[in-house]
């Protein structure tokens, strides 16, 4: 396994990094716009840092279907926040959740350290932006669907094989574009281009992704597959299921964990680390 390097920090195999979610969106599925305001978002970042977050992932567009957000509006929501977080938290690793190269360019200039391409390379130029600025890139599997869509009855012969093949291909392309190998992560992207069965299968066989040698990021926090697995629980009742899924992922070797509750995740992962000793 490779060492993961972001903003001068090193995360070695067996070390876990917490990525806290802060969305500047008025329609977030989880917080319903609670951190849309600029000051509210800054407070959320500070709270995540206090809770033990190593990385904060800032997003300006709701992942699911909703109101159109053009690149200019996405930049308005995230660029100034990135700059302010960079000033207030010099050591914090800042990630921005975007699939657009033009947004990536602006946030990289503002101080971002990582581009979280959740939609799986729909804009190949995003890797070129990461290479140009010497920052990291998340290569995700979203089933080759358009951003912010939910495909009907998507199917795979073997979802894990598809996830591995696609994310590793994206990662190798990023290296060819000039992104540092040690600053690239792969992400199965639970629920993106997948139904609940697919997300569970990826979770059960996450060790196969880990075996590729690329650092694996998991983003399972309060997602629909967790709620559906537990009988249809609403978003605000998925915390325990989230922590269980994080622990299973960590046990199999995942390295970075994108979560809404940094403090709880830190405690859960510290327990896993002790159990694995």
């Amino acid at each position: 396994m490779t060492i993961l390097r972001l903003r001068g920090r090193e995360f070695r195999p067996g070390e876990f990094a917490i990525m806290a979610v802060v969305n500047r969106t008025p329609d977030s599925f989880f917080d319903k716009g609670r951190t849309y305001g600029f000051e509210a978002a800054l407070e959320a970042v500070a709270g995540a840092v206090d809770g033990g977050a190593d990385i904060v992932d800032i997003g300006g567009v709701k992942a699911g279907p909703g109101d159109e957000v053009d690149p200019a509006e996405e930049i308005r929501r995230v660029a100034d926040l990135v700059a302010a977080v960079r000033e207030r938290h010099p050591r914090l690793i800042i990630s921005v959740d975007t699939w657009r190269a033009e947004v990536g360019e602006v946030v990289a200039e503002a101080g971002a350290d990582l581009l979280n391409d959740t939609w799986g390379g729909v804009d190949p130029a995003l890797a070129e932006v990461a290479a140009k600025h010497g920052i990291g890139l998340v290569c995700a599997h979203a089933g080759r669907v358009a951003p912010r869509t939910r495909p009907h009855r998507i199917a795979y012969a073997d979802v894990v094989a598809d996830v591995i093949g696609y994310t590793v291909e994206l990662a190798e392309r990023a290296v060819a574009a000039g992104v540092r190998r040690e600053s690239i992560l792969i992400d199965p992207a639970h629920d993106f281009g997948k139904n609940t069965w697919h997300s569970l299968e990826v979770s059960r066989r996450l060790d196969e992704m880990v075996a590729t040698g690329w650092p694996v990021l998991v983003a399972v926090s309060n997602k629909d597959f967790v709620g559906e697995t537990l009988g249809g629980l609403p978003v605000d009742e998925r915390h325990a299921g989230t922590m269980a899924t994080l622990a299973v992922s960590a046990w199999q070797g995942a390295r970075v964990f994108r979560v809404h509750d940094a403090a709880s995740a830190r405690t859960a992962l510290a327990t896993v680390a002790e159990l694995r000793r």
Side-chain angles (χ1 to χ4, degrees), residues 3 13 23 41 66 71 76 102 108 116 118 139 183 189 203 212 217 232 261:
I3 295 173
N23 284 325
R76 186 194 70 78
E102 58 196 296
N116 183 10
T118 307
C139 299
S183 298
S203 295
T212 66
L217 179 152
D261 184 343

Side-chain angles (χ1 to χ4, degrees), residues 11 14-18 54 250-251 254-255 257 266 269-270 272-273 276:
F11 301 92
E15 295 178 344
F16 303 137
I18 303 294
D54 304 287
W251 190 268
R255 308 273 290 279
F257 303 83
R266 177 63 68 193
L269 296 175
V272 172
R276 291 186 64 185

Side-chain angles (χ1 to χ4, degrees), residues 144-157:
R144 304 166 188 80
V145 302
R148 308 190 69 197
T149 61
R150 290 177 177 159
H152 181 61
R153 292 187 177 178
I154 193 164
Y156 303 94

Side-chain angles (χ1 to χ4, degrees), residues 92-112:
L92 181 66
I93 299 166
I94 300 174
S95 170
V96 174
D97 182 353
T98 187
W99 72 88
R100 293 164 165 154
E102 58 196 296
V103 177
E105 180 70 35
V106 174
V107 298
E109 291 282 357

